[in-house]
């Protein structure tokens, strides 16, 4: 019963009631800040103002255009970057000469924050969907690549030996043993990619774009319209959480053996 | 003599990937005939770096601005994260109360609120440091929380048998046990911190390496843009290496177990 090391034993209802109380406190604190401390709805709207503003934005026109632009850039880039990163990771993880030369190079490249290349990508691809897709694809490619290669490294030697003893060819071993065992790493990589993809797309839209949620946030900032920014950030948070949830569920479904209870 | 060659060997092994990277970059630019306005070659960037750091010295102000804002925000964000993470880990009541706030902080993409932070905090150091603090909070918080909770039950029982209070148990058992996990969080946080700084510098456009990259890319001066990216990479690498070293020195008993 080391649980009591972290405070008195809590009754079962506390697990539900305390977070609800916490949420209420959070909203109350926000309301207090907005009404009494900041007292300027252009800088900090109250929770109610924010909710109605969000609703008006979604119900009125103009919202869908920004939503679709950001979704297309994020998901398109993620699909391209993650699949190429996975394929390259499998190849490099399997071929020893490539593993020795390319993998350390990519690790070295990762010292630079990938958002820094955003202005250069816009020079390469121009303003519009292509540059967003390219930026997201480049960022997610490297993350996926590194995770896949480390997954390929992690395959248990006994299983490989067994597959070889049963006459498995090299690529049979790769796909039946190594890739399958790497999947846990691959999905961890995909979770990182999912979070990164929205960030990259939004940064691309901050720098140069004519639509998208990032563009909308920046335009609202120029108009000193905090309510507009809050609405767009809330939509982004919801989208990012949804994508993270989808990836996590897929992780549990595909790599079910990692999550089986002992 | 043997020690010296060992040091040289280690340095060589560390530098080799970078040398290969530069060689590959040079080869690609040369073989594909990429024009400089799209991608400069390594000697062109090296020349710009020499000009910016030695001959002219115009890049130091930008590097200084980035370093100052990142370090300040990183220090504030990490200290807050360790404090809040420890408090929530040591008390289940607080943990459950703050659960919605933690979910909120985690689900909002911090980079997306950069313009909002700018609106609240105003230009320059204040807004950049605030965004950096916000963005590096979460990984350090998680590292602290998980590390503090991971204290071995046997040790906790021992502390209880010896009648140690909660504070003493925390200081002498939970916190030292969490050190490796906290430093791992700091390593992730440092990378995040630079991202936050660069994004804010893109938006404010008043100075820093992020500003330098954006501003020179707009003018198709890719030589300067790539030189600034190299400097940013150096900052990322140095910070990461220092934290790695700190981890090995401070938590010598764990060795390289968690590395990878």
């Amino acid at each position: 019963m080391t649980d009591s090391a972290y405070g008195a034993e809590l009754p079962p209802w506390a697990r539900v009631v305390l977070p609800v109380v916490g949420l209420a406190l959070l909203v109350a604190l926000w309301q207090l800040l907005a009404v009494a401390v900041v007292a300027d709805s252009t800088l900090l709207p109250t929770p109610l103002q924010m909710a109605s503003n969000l609703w008006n934005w979604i119900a009125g026109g103009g919202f869908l255009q920004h939503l679709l632009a950001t979704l297309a850039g994020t998901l398109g880039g993620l699909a391209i970057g993650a699949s190429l990163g996975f394929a390259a990771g499998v190849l490099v993880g399997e071929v020893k000469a490539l593993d020795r030369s390319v993998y350390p190079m990519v690790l070295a490249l990762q010292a630079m924050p990938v958002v820094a290349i955003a202005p250069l990508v816009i020079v390469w691809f121009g303003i519009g969907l292509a540059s967003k897709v390219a930026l997201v694809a480049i960022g997610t490619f490297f993350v996926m690549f590194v995770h896949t290669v480390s997954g390929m490294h992690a395959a248990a030697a006994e299983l490989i030996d067994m597959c070889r003893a049963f006459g498995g060819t090299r690529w049979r071993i790769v796909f039946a043993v190594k890739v399958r065992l790497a999947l846990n790493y691959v999905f961890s990589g995909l979770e990182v990619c999912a979070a990164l993809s929205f960030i990259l797309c939004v940064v691309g839209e901050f720098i140069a774009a004519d639509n998208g949620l990032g563009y909308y946030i920046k335009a609202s900032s120029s108009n000193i319209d905090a309510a507009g920014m809050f609405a767009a950030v809330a939509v982004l948070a919801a989208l990012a959480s949804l994508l993270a949830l989808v990836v996590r569920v897929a992780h549990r479904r595909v790599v079910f053996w990692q999550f089986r209870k002992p | 003599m043997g020690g010296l060659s060992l040091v040289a060997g280690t340095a060589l092994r560390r530098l080799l990937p970078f040398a290969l990277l530069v060689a590959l970059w040079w080869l690609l630019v040369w073989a594909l005939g990429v024009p400089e306005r799209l991608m400069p070659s390594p000697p062109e960037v090296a020349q710009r770096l020499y000009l910016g750091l030695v001959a002219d010295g115009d890049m130091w102000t930008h590097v200084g601005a980035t370093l100052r804002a990142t370090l300040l925000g990183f220090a504030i964000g990490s200290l807050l994260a360790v404090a809040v993470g420890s408090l929530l880990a040591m008390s289940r009541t607080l943990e459950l109360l703050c659960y919605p706030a933690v979910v909120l902080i985690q689900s909002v993409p911090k980079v997306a609120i950069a313009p909002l932070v700018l609106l609240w905090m105003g230009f320059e150091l204040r807004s950049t440091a605030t965004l950096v603090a916000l963005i590096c909070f979460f990984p350090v918080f998680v590292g602290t929380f998980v590390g503090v909770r991971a204290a071995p039950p046997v040790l906790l029982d021992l502390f209880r048998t010896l009648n140690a209070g909660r504070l003493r148990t925390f200081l002498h058992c939970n916190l030292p046990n969490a050190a490796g996990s906290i430093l791992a969080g700091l390593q992730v946080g440092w990378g995040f911190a630079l991202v936050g700084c660069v994004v804010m510098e893109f938006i404010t456009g008043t100075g820093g390496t992020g500003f330098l990259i954006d501003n020179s890319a707009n003018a198709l001066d890719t030589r300067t843009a790539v030189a600034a990216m190299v400097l940013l990479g150096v900052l990322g690498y140095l910070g990461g290496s220092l934290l790695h070293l700190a981890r090995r020195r401070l938590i010598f008993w764990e060795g390289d177990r968690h590395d990878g």
Side-chain angles (χ1 to χ4, degrees):
Chain A
M1 296 312 278
T2 45
D3 268 11
S4 54
Y6 306 113
E9 295 284 339
L10 291 170
W13 51 262
R15 297 187 63 82
V16 182
V17 172
L18 283 177
V20 173
V21 172
L23 186 65
L25 280 176
L26 200 66
V27 174
L29 186 71
W30 181 357
Q31 178 78 26
L32 189 73
L33 266 177
V35 174
V37 182
V38 181
D40 182 353
S41 63
T42 53
L43 284 181
L44 183 65
T46 64
L48 207 63
Q49 280 169 340
M50 197 214 118
S52 78
N53 189 282
L54 179 63
W55 174 249
N56 288 339
W57 189 40
I58 292 176
F63 167 71
L64 205 61
Q65 171 209 354
H66 296 301
L67 178 76
L68 289 179
T70 298
L71 273 182
T74 306
L75 297 181
L78 181 62
I80 295 172
S83 49
L84 287 180
F86 173 67
V90 169
L91 186 71
V92 168
E94 174 57 22
V95 181
K96 194 146 249 162
L98 288 177
D99 197 11
R100 286 269 171 81
S101 56
V102 177
Y103 186 54
M105 261 201 270
V106 173
L107 285 182
L109 200 60
Q110 287 226 314
M112 191 192 73
V114 69
V115 289
I117 64 159
L120 206 57
V121 170
I122 287 165
V123 170
W124 293 339
F125 292 92
I127 295 170
L129 185 62
S131 57
K132 291 184 211 173
V133 170
L135 183 61
V136 176
I138 292 171
T140 51
F141 172 87
F142 287 111
V143 172
M144 201 58 181
F145 175 82
V146 169
H147 276 86
T148 308
V149 174
S150 55
M152 295 286 287
H153 287 170
E158 314 94 82
L159 284 175
I160 296 171
D161 285 345
M162 193 182 80
C163 193
R164 194 171 295 137
F166 279 101
T169 58
R170 178 179 194 180
W171 293 103
R172 185 83 195 269
I173 293 175
V174 168
F175 289 110
V177 181
K178 288 192 183 172
V179 170
R180 216 165 277 198
L181 289 172
L183 278 181
N184 197 29
Y185 289 76
V186 170
F187 272 94
S188 306
L190 204 55
E191 280 177 33
V192 179
C193 286
L196 185 66
S197 57
F198 274 106
I199 288 174
L200 286 172
C201 189
V202 167
V203 170
E205 288 167 350
F206 279 167
I207 295 175
D210 41 21
N211 54 16
L213 294 169
Y215 167 79
Y216 186 82
I217 292 174
K218 206 172 168 219
S220 307
S221 156
S222 313
N223 300 333
I224 315 192
D225 169 20
M229 283 194 264
F230 266 104
V233 168
V235 172
L236 263 175
L239 289 179
S241 306
L242 190 66
L243 185 62
L245 185 72
V246 168
V247 173
R248 212 167 312 134
V249 168
H251 192 168
R252 281 176 172 265
R253 281 286 165 84
V254 177
V255 200
F256 55 88
W257 59 91
Q258 287 281 344
F259 297 94
R260 202 180 277 153
K261 289 228 170 86
Chain B
M1 197 47 204
L4 198 67
S5 69
L6 197 71
V7 169
T10 317
L12 204 66
R13 220 166 335 115
R14 289 271 161 79
L15 287 175
L16 196 63
F18 294 101
L20 275 174
L21 202 62
V22 171
L24 185 70
W25 162 19
W26 201 343
L27 186 76
L28 279 177
V29 168
W30 173 77
L32 301 174
V34 183
E36 199 206 315
R37 70 189 156 76
L38 290 185
M39 188 71 195
S41 70
E44 285 161 349
V45 173
Q47 196 190 12
R48 182 65 186 90
L49 278 174
Y50 176 76
L51 196 71
L53 294 178
V54 183
D56 247 14
D58 63 308
M59 284 180 162
W60 283 115
T61 51
H62 296 296
V63 174
T66 296
L67 200 57
R68 198 159 49 236
T70 310
L71 282 177
L72 184 65
F74 183 63
I76 295 172
S78 311
L79 281 176
L80 272 177
V82 170
V84 174
S86 305
L87 275 176
L88 296 202
M90 290 306 284
S91 158
R92 278 203 192 277
T93 313
L94 266 183
E95 179 204 349
L96 288 171
L97 263 180
C98 294
Y99 185 70
V102 171
V103 170
L104 185 76
I105 292 173
Q106 194 240 351
S107 63
V108 171
K110 260 70 65 185
V111 163
I113 62 167
L116 198 59
V117 172
L118 181 64
L119 183 67
W120 284 339
M121 291 288 165
F123 275 86
E124 314 234 350
L125 188 63
R126 262 188 3 156
S127 49
T128 313
T130 306
L131 186 67
V132 170
L134 279 172
I135 202 171
C136 66
F137 176 86
F138 202 72
V140 183
F141 167 79
V142 171
T144 309
F145 186 87
V146 171
V148 169
R149 277 281 164 90
V154 189
L155 275 182
L156 289 175
D157 285 344
L158 174 71
F159 272 72
R160 186 132 10 103
T161 325
L162 295 175
N163 227 358
R166 234 150 133 194
L167 183 66
R168 181 162 293 199
T169 312
F170 169 71
L171 285 177
H172 294 281
C173 176
N174 296 86
L175 194 60
N177 188 67
S181 180
I182 293 174
L183 274 163
L186 287 174
Q187 278 178 311
V188 177
W190 177 252
F192 280 24
L194 279 176
V195 170
C197 185
V198 168
V199 169
M200 195 52 116
E201 286 166 354
F202 282 164
I203 295 175
T204 56
T206 49
T209 46
F211 161 75
L212 196 60
I213 294 170
D214 192 27
N215 199 42
S216 35
N218 282 340
L220 292 185
D221 176 11
T222 54
R223 201 185 274 213
T224 308
V226 175
M229 285 182 209
V230 170
L231 289 177
L232 208 56
V234 170
L235 288 185
Y237 184 78
L238 282 182
S241 306
L242 279 177
L243 284 168
H244 181 80
L245 197 70
R247 194 164 154 194
R248 281 229 306 238
R249 282 285 157 85
L250 283 175
I251 319 155
F252 49 88
W253 62 90
E254 280 186 11
D256 274 342
R257 202 170 66 195
H258 291 298
D259 290 340

